Amino acid sequence: MKKEELKAFRKMLVELRQKLASNVAHMENHALRNSGEAAGELSDLPLEHMADRGSENFLKDLMIGILQNSEAEICDIDIALSNIDAGTYGTCELCSSKITKSRLKALPFARLCMKCKQAEENEAAQL
Ligand SMILES: [Zn+2]
């Protein structure tokens, strides 16, 4: 991969990480207070109308799910960033083949190529 391309992916990853980290911090701050209030303030998440009719427990579970997802993504982003430094960015963890650029553009922290990802999902579906 070209230097400029790596630079662009690094920028995408850093921006995504900042956004996720601030979402996580925001949610954690407000979860400590009142989950209904927190949901109302998360304007970019489709929680607002659910807060009106949904139960507080449902909302809490939803927030915990989003938090766990975000934290897992931040983890993957950190791995991707260190892979850029190591020169192994864009390589599938399982089969070592190159991950296509279109896949990386859609998911810059992808750790598996499309083929391995699909195989993994098929396996999960069979469980
Ligand atoms: Zn693979």
Side-chain angles (χ1 to χ4, degrees), residues 92 95 113 116:
C92 174
C95 70
C113 71
C116 291

Side-chain angles (χ1 to χ4, degrees), residues 27 31 35 38 42 47 59-68:
M27 268 193 269
S35 53
L42 290 169
L47 290 175
L59 204 65
K60 226 175 229 171
D61 286 348
L62 198 68
M63 282 182 65
I64 289 169
I66 294 169
L67 273 174
Q68 283 171 342

Side-chain angles (χ1 to χ4, degrees), residues 1 5-17 20 73-84 88-91 93 99-112:
M1 204 181 285
E5 285 173 325
L6 278 174
K7 225 170 137 183
F9 278 120
R10 183 195 291 274
K11 192 165 170 274
M12 274 169 79
L13 285 161
V14 168
E15 280 169 6
L16 197 59
R17 194 189 192 289
L20 282 169
E73 282 184 4
I74 288 172
C75 226
D76 284 347
I77 289 170
D78 284 340
I79 290 169
L81 284 169
S82 67
N83 284 345
I84 288 180
T88 56
Y89 179 69
T91 307
E93 275 184 11
I99 302 174
T100 59
K101 265 171 215 159
S102 60
R103 174 158 166 74
L104 288 173
K105 271 175 194 155
L107 196 73
F109 49 87
R111 293 161 69 179
L112 301 177

Side-chain angles (χ1 to χ4, degrees), residues 107-123:
L107 196 73
F109 49 87
R111 293 161 69 179
L112 301 177
C113 71
M114 209 51 145
K115 223 172 100 188
C116 291
K117 183 71 200 165
Q118 268 163 6
E120 195 187 70
E121 272 167 14
N122 286 342
E123 221 167 90

Side-chain angles (χ1 to χ4, degrees), residues 45-64:
L45 291 166
L47 290 175
E48 203 165 347
H49 64 284
M50 281 188 255
D52 296 333
R53 57 190 167 89
S55 75
E56 201 150 300
N57 277 343
F58 168 76
L59 204 65
K60 226 175 229 171
D61 286 348
L62 198 68
M63 282 182 65
I64 289 169

